Amino acid sequence: MKLLLVTLLVFLINLPFGALRAKYKKFTLMWWIYIHIPVPFVILLRIYSDIGFAFYTYPLLVGAFFGGQLIGRKYLARKKDSSNKN
């Protein structure tokens, strides 16, 4: 149960950073920074939730990390752009 909660939190943490990353050209400094800012938070979540760094946790958390970035980039950034056009 802890692993699923941490996975959800990792996904939610990455949503806004994915949206922010969408505003920058690929491989620029800010693009890179918005990918890496959430990493310390994920590490702290792993430590304080006591799920640790076992191998079986990586597929879920890495998937949630990149899934949050992707959904944030595609959906949240598009949603902001369409609201600015009105």
Side-chain angles (χ1 to χ4, degrees):
M1 191 63 180
K2 282 184 195 179
L3 180 58
L4 292 177
L5 180 61
V6 171
T7 302
L8 179 64
L9 288 172
V10 168
F11 178 80
L12 293 174
I13 287 170
N14 278 284
L15 284 173
F17 290 105
L20 290 169
R21 182 175 62 99
K23 298 176 184 177
Y24 293 94
K25 189 175 177 182
K26 204 173 200 179
F27 303 116
T28 60
L29 179 62
M30 289 307 294
W31 182 88
W32 186 86
I33 287 173
Y34 284 132
I35 289 176
H36 290 87
I37 285 174
V39 172
F41 297 108
V42 173
I43 292 170
L44 288 173
L45 276 172
R46 282 178 164 274
I47 292 170
Y48 289 115
S49 68
D50 291 328
I51 64 168
F53 293 88
F55 182 73
Y56 69 90
T57 64
Y58 282 93
L60 285 174
L61 295 180
V62 169
F65 190 94
F66 288 111
Q69 289 273 334
L70 178 71
I71 298 297
R73 179 176 58 94
K74 291 207 179 253
Y75 178 71
L76 293 179
R78 185 178 302 148
K79 186 176 177 182
K80 287 181 183 178
D81 287 343
S82 64
S83 65
N84 289 339
K85 291 178 184 176
N86 293 332

